[in-house]
Amino acid sequence: MCIAVFLWQSHPLYPFLLLLNRDEYHNRPTKATGWWEGGEILGGRDEVGGGTWLACSKEGRFAFLTNVLELHASPEAKTRGDLPIRFLESKKSPKAFAEELVKEAHEYNGFNLIMVDLLSKSMFYISNRPKGEAVLIHEVKPGIHVLSNAKLDSPWPKAQRLVLKFKKLIEAHGEGDDISMEELAEKLMKDKEKVADESKLPHICSLDWEYSLSSIFVEVDTPLGCYGTRSTAGIKVKANGEVCFHEMYLENSKWEAQTVNYHIQRNDQKIKQIW
C-alpha cells in the first residue's frame, strides 16, 4: 500500500510537487532511487518484480503507482511496477498510453497509475478497479490531489487528513517562498495516527489489517516480517525545469536520505519555461 499527495499546475513556482510513501515488507529487496541503466530514468527499483512505484525521466515525464486494496490478488497477474517504466520509455502522451493500456488492464491486479508530461502540461489517471467495471481514465485537473489505495481523491480518513495538512503547509510558505521537500516529508509523511472509528474503514479486508493501514506512515508486525512505510519520496519541479528528487529510505534497518537534482531537457537543451 502507498499514499501520495500532489500539487498540479496551481502554484506560481512549482507546476508539480509530489510526496509519496511507499509501503512494503521491509525485507523485500529494493534499490534506492538512482539513475537506471542508460541514464534516462530516475527512480527506485523493486528487485523482486523489477519495476518501480515512482520514477521520472530527463524529458519531463513522471509516473507513480499505488495498489488498490482488495481481498484477493492473483499470483499470476502481470507486475504492476512495470507500468511506470513502460510509460516513461514510450513516446506516447499520458492520454494515449492510458487508452492503449485499457486493452490489457484486466491482466493486472488492482492499480492506480498517474502519468505526467510536464512539457505538454498533461496529467492522466487510470485505474482498473472496481473489478468488472469499465477501466477508468480521466485527465487530472489543476489543484491538490491525493491518491491512496482506492480511486483518486477518495475520502479515506488518512487521505483527507494528508490533504488538509498539505494545504496548510503550502499556504504557510506563501506563493513566493521556496519549499523544502525535507520539511514537507518530516511534517506530513511520518504521521502514525490511526482511525479510531472503525465505521470509517473501507471494510474490504479484516478490520485489524485495515486499522494497521489507516495511518499515513504505516508500521505493523506480521508473520512475514515488518510491513509498512519503507521510503518517503518528494519531487518538486520549478517553472524553469529544475527537478529536485528527495528520498528518505530504509537501508539495513537504518533510515538514509539522498537528493538528486537535474534539469528537464528536450533534445539535450534546457527548457526555459514549463509553467
Side-chain angles (χ1 to χ4, degrees):
M1 303 293 111
C2 302
I3 188 167
V5 63
F6 59 96
L7 179 157
W8 171 241
Q9 299 290 348
S10 57
H11 191 281
L13 295 182
Y14 305 105
F16 181 52
L17 193 152
L18 164 76
L19 290 159
L20 185 150
N21 273 357
R22 182 203 181 203
D23 301 334
E24 185 51 89
Y25 285 100
H26 289 190
N27 57 14
R28 187 177 176 101
T30 300
K31 281 187 178 180
T33 294
W35 291 104
W36 288 36
E37 297 83 353
E40 294 299 321
I41 291 176
L42 176 67
R45 176 175 286 180
D46 172 25
E47 294 193 277
V48 177
T52 189
W53 55 99
L54 167 65
C56 51
S57 76
K58 290 181 177 178
E59 296 180 340
R61 291 159 71 85
F62 299 79
F64 55 101
L65 177 85
T66 68
N67 297 342
V68 174
L69 183 64
E70 49 192 351
L71 189 58
H72 300 294
S74 169
E76 289 80 31
K78 289 183 177 180
T79 301
R80 290 168 286 196
D82 285 343
L83 296 175
I85 300 304
R86 285 176 53 189
F87 168 70
L88 295 177
E89 291 178 338
S90 79
K91 299 300 181 183
K92 296 182 180 296
S93 69
K95 181 180 180 182
F97 185 87
E99 290 173 343
E100 183 179 81
L101 182 57
V102 169
K103 304 170 188 176
E104 57 179 287
H106 65 281
E107 299 176 20
Y108 296 86
N109 288 317
F111 70 82
N112 297 303
L113 175 66
I114 290 185
M115 300 150 292
V116 185
D117 185 337
L118 269 169
L119 296 181
S120 64
K121 300 180 183 178
S122 174
M123 177 184 285
F124 271 78
Y125 163 70
I126 178 172
S127 179
N128 65 345
R129 292 295 185 271
K131 200 170 184 178
E133 295 185 12
V135 175
L136 175 66
I137 298 176
H138 70 75
E139 185 173 11
V140 180
K141 302 301 182 183
I144 291 175
H145 302 274
V146 64
L147 183 65
S148 56
N149 306 110
K151 290 181 179 179
L152 180 65
D153 294 322
S154 289
W156 284 14
K158 70 176 182 179
Q160 292 179 311
R161 189 166 70 255
L162 180 56
V163 166
L164 181 61
K165 293 173 69 175
F166 181 72
K167 285 181 178 178
K168 287 182 177 179
L169 270 179
I170 295 296
E171 291 169 358
H173 276 83
E175 292 189 347
D177 295 341
D178 185 52
I179 294 175
S180 164
M181 299 310 296
E182 294 92 332
E183 177 191 359
L184 290 184
E186 287 286 342
K187 291 184 176 181
L188 297 176
M189 308 308 286
K190 291 190 173 183
D191 184 348
K192 297 182 180 180
E193 180 182 340
K194 293 182 172 63
V195 175
D197 184 354
E198 68 176 34
S199 69
K200 295 183 178 180
L201 296 172
H203 290 76
I204 297 169
C205 303
S206 72
L207 290 180
D208 285 345
W209 183 240
E210 291 185 356
Y211 175 74
S212 297
L213 301 179
S214 67
S215 53
I216 294 168
F217 187 99
V218 174
E219 194 172 42
V220 55
D221 290 323
T222 80
L224 298 177
C226 185
Y227 177 91
T229 304
R230 57 174 297 167
S231 73
T232 297
I235 293 177
K236 67 176 178 181
V237 183
K238 292 185 177 180
N240 65 356
E242 182 182 331
V243 179
C244 172
F245 193 136
H246 179 74
E247 182 187 34
M248 297 184 295
Y249 60 96
L250 272 177
E251 186 76 41
N252 298 321
S253 301
K254 293 182 179 179
W255 282 95
E256 307 285 353
Q258 65 170 340
T259 301
V260 180
N261 297 292
Y262 71 96
H263 274 84
I264 295 172
Q265 298 178 356
R266 173 177 281 176
N267 298 325
D268 297 323
Q269 297 295 317
K270 293 179 181 178
I271 60 174
K272 294 182 179 179
Q273 190 78 3
I274 57 176
W275 175 249

